[in-house]
Amino acid sequence: MVVCGDDALAHRLAAELRDVYGERVTLVVPSAREPHRPRIPPPAGALGRAGALLGRVSAAMVRPSPLSSEAPGDGAEPPEETVRILEAAQPDDAALTEAGIAGAGALALVYDDDELNIHAALRARRLNPRLRLVIRLYNRKLGQHLEELLDQAAAVAALGSGDGGDAEGADASTTVLSDADTVAPALAGAAVAGTSKVIEADGLLLRAVERTPVPPGRPGEPGVCTLALLPASAGDPAGASGAAADSASGDEGPVLLPDEAATEAATGCGTVVLETVSYTGRPVRRRWLRGRGAPLASLFSRRLRWSLAGVVGAVLALAVASSLTLGEDPMHAVYLSLLDLFAINDPALDDPAPRKVLQLLSGLTGLLLLPVLVAAAFEGLGTFRSASALRRPPRGLSGHVVLLGLGKVGTRVLARLHEMGIPVVCIEGDPEARGIALARRLRVPTVLGDVTQEGVLEAAMIERAATLLALTSEDTTNLEASLYARSVHPRLRVTLRLFDDRFATAVYRTLRAAHPGALTRSRSVTYLAAPAFAGAMMGREILGAIPVERRVLLIARFAVRGHAALEGRTVAELLRPGRLRVLAVDTSAPDEPEPDAAAAATPPPAEERTPARLVHELGDDYVLRPQDRVLLVATRQGLGDLHARNRGTAAAAEPARGDRAGQV
């Protein structure tokens, strides 16, 4: 693997590839000796691969559980020999050639400059058409066009070289990622569940949690599936557990992806369970008109609505009285009452006395209606004039998330929280910030002001909030806001973005010691984005990795169409205990098959896609359709078996060719 970059993301990505996936990495950086640039941390021996998602620091259980430890920033220690560091000012042809691009499996271009990444990607595709590319870009539309261009270039180069058969087996895909997009689910998960160790897949937020042994006779907490059975010594320092636990897990390590029988038999041992992350608080009440209209409640105030209702009631009462006393048709009585109301009817000089009285009452009601109409006009004008302005936090708001900072990261997190229906109040000091337009369009309450100034957090109702997400690019600003928020609300859940690793660790430990009853998380964008970039380098279908002890489970997504090992199979037929298991199926595509397989494999936009349905919702007998997409958890061997079964099934469908016809 080759990683090219100029900031902390490159170093984090190299460490992730080495520690989690066990890959050999060449890191190309402008300078490896600058003091402000973090370097690659060395692996912790045989346990170095256990610190990515589950955060385990030891094969044995340690209390407090490392699963809840979330303090790393972007720092590091001296590089280790498994990562080769190459210094180059620019990723030109000479630098890429020296990095071994011709024989590399994947290249990640994670410079902070989008234009530099694009130029390097074009060079790399020309030097090695069969190379898997992962590019860091913030512009998503430009990224989609770049993916299509580079994939097409790889396909044309493969056809021109005459090795189309071999090219089919190679993954020369191009994946464009944004660090802001990749960290948004993790930060949204921190706001919802207090942890940022989540994986987003087809509208689902998944996290792996470690659970202690459940006493016999007590039901365990439900989850999506059991990922692993931990060794008996992990939950019992003395190593004394039941015979079933010993037989299920023993001392050789965790049992990955056990079947239901093994899970039920393994009593007395800890488990690693995959569960969904969802918001359980009060959702956002969207009482808006369709489109981008103004809220109905702000268009007409409550007093104005009651006044209009009183006038309408008076008109109806006058019409009923006219119909009963004069014997007129009800519709005609309403018509006459409205004419009298607007003073455009003839005086009832020659009419009976009841008619004269009703006309006078209608005229009086018309006088009362005039100020109500004037007030409605002014309120409506003020509402439409302020429709493009930022909302203020409404009265009575509680249990919301206070989002500090609407830059690149804050904008993506705001969009994600809004999709999940979580109430948010934003704080931004720059009125021209990137996320102000999004907050205005989504009608999200926003406070403009410097968070270090007194009264700004109070304006966001921090004392009644559930979570504070401090996501500005300034460590001191995030820390100051977090400390002041804790002084106002001691049990507030705080997640702050910090760059420096040592500073983040010190802040985390101090806040945890000072407020043991509250959740504190310190995270950096590079720390959260590195797993997504590493998964993309391993293959486009890889969404993330879950380290369990010394082993790794991969979360992958496959399009069923064209995959012979998936199409037409039931969920139960795909189960391979210890190797592969289906988690969910995206069934949002229409029933009729798409003529273009590539278009069918492309996921719809996030705002138009419904979350995938979990397996227990579909049942094991569900037959996979060509337009479905499946979400799998598997070991590396399990994914290899799936690819082998796909090739073998496709070969068996072709005419027999000697002894190789049935070979798998």
Side-chain angles (χ1 to χ4, degrees):
M1 302 291 176
V2 179
V3 178
C4 301
D6 59 354
D7 60 4
L9 179 58
H11 299 264
R12 280 287 182 193
L13 179 55
E16 183 82 9
L17 291 170
R18 181 198 63 190
D19 296 340
V20 178
Y21 296 97
E23 297 287 340
R24 294 176 299 166
V25 184
T26 297
L27 178 61
V28 181
V29 292
S31 175
R33 297 179 176 86
E34 292 185 18
H36 67 278
R37 297 201 180 275
R39 291 179 288 180
I40 305 299
L47 304 178
R49 301 178 183 175
L53 185 61
L54 293 183
R56 295 179 62 85
V57 297
S58 174
M61 294 280 290
V62 180
R63 294 294 182 261
S65 173
L67 285 168
S68 61
S69 176
E70 301 214 4
D74 281 328
E77 298 176 6
E80 218 265 355
E81 295 180 356
T82 54
V83 176
R84 173 193 172 204
I85 297 181
L86 176 64
E87 294 187 11
Q90 296 288 335
D92 52 13
D93 291 354
L96 294 176
T97 302
E98 186 178 355
I101 202 70
L107 167 67
L109 299 167
V110 293
Y111 291 97
D112 196 33
D113 186 355
D114 287 1
E115 185 177 355
L116 183 61
N117 290 331
I118 294 174
H119 289 175
L122 296 175
R123 293 192 187 98
R125 182 60 79 204
R126 175 175 51 83
L127 294 175
N128 186 356
R130 301 179 60 184
L131 183 69
R132 186 185 304 122
L133 291 176
V134 178
I135 309 169
R136 174 187 183 183
L137 288 181
Y138 182 80
N139 192 328
R140 289 184 287 186
K141 291 185 178 180
L142 177 60
Q144 293 176 358
H145 295 308
L146 185 63
E147 281 187 2
E148 297 175 358
L149 175 64
L150 294 177
D151 286 344
Q152 184 178 0
V156 172
L159 292 176
S161 61
D163 57 350
D166 295 337
E168 292 180 359
D171 182 8
S173 62
T174 303
T175 304
V176 177
L177 296 176
S178 167
D179 49 355
D181 284 330
T182 54
V183 303
L187 294 173
V192 174
T195 177
S196 57
K197 298 170 182 176
V198 298
I199 296 175
E200 183 188 26
D202 293 332
L204 297 173
L205 288 179
L206 305 173
R207 66 172 178 177
V209 294
E210 181 180 335
R211 293 179 178 170
T212 57
V214 179
R218 178 182 301 178
E221 299 180 11
V224 176
C225 73
T226 300
L227 296 178
L229 301 176
L230 299 178
S233 58
D236 186 1
S241 298
D246 294 335
S247 60
S249 57
D251 296 328
E252 298 180 357
V255 178
L256 301 182
L257 301 179
D259 54 12
E260 294 183 2
T263 304
E264 294 176 357
T267 58
C269 65
T271 58
V272 177
V273 180
L274 191 68
E275 64 181 19
T276 57
V277 176
S278 59
Y279 178 66
T280 57
R282 183 188 304 174
V284 177
R285 296 186 297 175
R286 299 187 175 96
R287 300 183 296 178
W288 304 325
L289 299 174
R290 289 186 178 272
R292 297 184 180 180
L296 183 61
S298 61
L299 184 61
F300 299 112
S301 64
R302 176 174 297 181
R303 272 190 273 182
L304 182 59
R305 293 196 300 268
W306 279 110
S307 300
L308 291 174
V311 172
V312 172
V315 172
L316 292 178
L318 291 172
V320 172
S322 178
S323 177
L324 294 177
T325 57
L326 302 178
E328 297 177 349
D329 181 72
M331 295 301 300
H332 184 67
V334 172
Y335 176 69
L336 291 179
S337 299
L338 291 176
L339 291 179
D340 296 334
L341 183 72
F342 297 118
I344 57 178
N345 198 8
D346 294 333
L349 298 178
D350 301 329
D351 293 339
R355 172 70 183 124
K356 295 179 179 179
V357 174
L358 291 175
Q359 190 176 51
L360 292 175
L361 293 177
S362 298
L364 180 61
T365 305
L367 293 177
L368 297 177
L369 177 62
L370 182 60
V372 175
L373 293 178
V374 174
F378 277 107
E379 284 199 5
L381 179 61
T383 298
F384 284 109
R385 290 185 61 182
S386 61
S388 60
L390 294 170
R391 286 186 62 197
R392 302 292 296 177
R395 295 181 179 179
L397 181 65
S398 62
H400 57 285
V401 175
V402 176
L403 176 59
L404 174 58
L406 289 177
K408 292 195 305 182
V409 178
T411 302
R412 297 290 192 247
V413 174
L414 172 60
R416 182 61 182 166
L417 292 174
H418 186 268
E419 291 175 4
M420 299 174 65
I422 301 175
V424 185
V425 175
C426 302
I427 300 177
E428 176 56 51
D430 183 10
E432 302 297 329
R434 188 188 301 266
I436 291 295
L438 178 63
R440 182 181 293 112
R441 180 170 62 86
L442 298 179
R443 302 288 299 171
V444 175
T446 304
V447 177
L448 289 177
D450 187 358
V451 72
T452 60
Q453 298 290 332
E454 185 177 357
V456 175
L457 280 174
E458 285 82 356
M461 299 183 179
I462 192 66
E463 69 279 359
R464 302 168 65 178
T467 305
L468 171 65
L469 292 178
L471 304 181
T472 69
S473 57
E474 298 292 335
D475 287 4
T476 55
T477 301
N478 295 334
L479 178 59
E480 183 177 355
S482 302
L483 293 177
Y484 183 74
R486 276 286 170 80
S487 66
V488 176
H489 187 353
R491 298 188 63 85
L492 179 70
R493 179 187 298 161
V494 174
T495 299
L496 61 158
R497 172 186 176 187
L498 297 177
F499 178 82
D500 185 76
D501 180 58
R502 295 179 180 177
F503 182 54
T505 303
V507 168
Y508 168 74
R509 291 175 177 174
T510 304
L511 287 177
R512 186 180 61 178
H515 303 276
L519 289 176
T520 303
R521 301 290 181 259
S522 58
R523 274 293 184 253
S524 68
V525 172
T526 58
Y527 186 91
L528 297 175
F533 280 82
M537 293 187 71
M538 300 303 298
R540 178 177 284 181
E541 67 274 3
I542 304 297
L543 300 180
I546 301 176
V548 181
E549 299 289 352
R550 301 177 180 88
R551 306 178 65 181
V552 166
L553 292 174
L554 303 177
I555 305 293
R557 177 177 54 203
F558 287 89
V560 175
R561 187 183 300 277
H563 206 293
L566 299 176
E567 191 171 348
R569 308 271 180 168
T570 64
V571 173
E573 291 175 350
L574 297 178
L575 177 62
R576 295 291 186 274
R579 297 189 179 185
L580 185 143
R581 171 174 289 182
V582 178
L583 297 177
V585 181
D586 185 358
T587 60
S588 59
D591 292 335
E592 52 272 11
E594 297 288 342
D596 188 1
T602 303
E607 59 271 12
E608 300 178 1
R609 187 177 68 241
T610 58
R613 301 177 63 184
L614 299 174
V615 170
H616 65 78
E617 299 174 348
L618 294 172
D620 293 338
D621 297 332
Y622 177 79
V623 180
L624 298 177
R625 306 174 302 167
Q627 61 269 28
D628 290 341
R629 292 190 306 163
V630 294
L631 187 66
L632 308 170
V633 56
T635 61
R636 297 185 190 180
Q637 187 176 5
L639 285 183
D641 293 345
L642 183 62
H643 287 291
R645 289 164 55 197
N646 183 44
R647 293 191 297 267
T649 307
E654 297 178 355
R657 295 184 180 180
D659 295 338
R660 298 181 60 187
Q663 183 177 359
V664 179

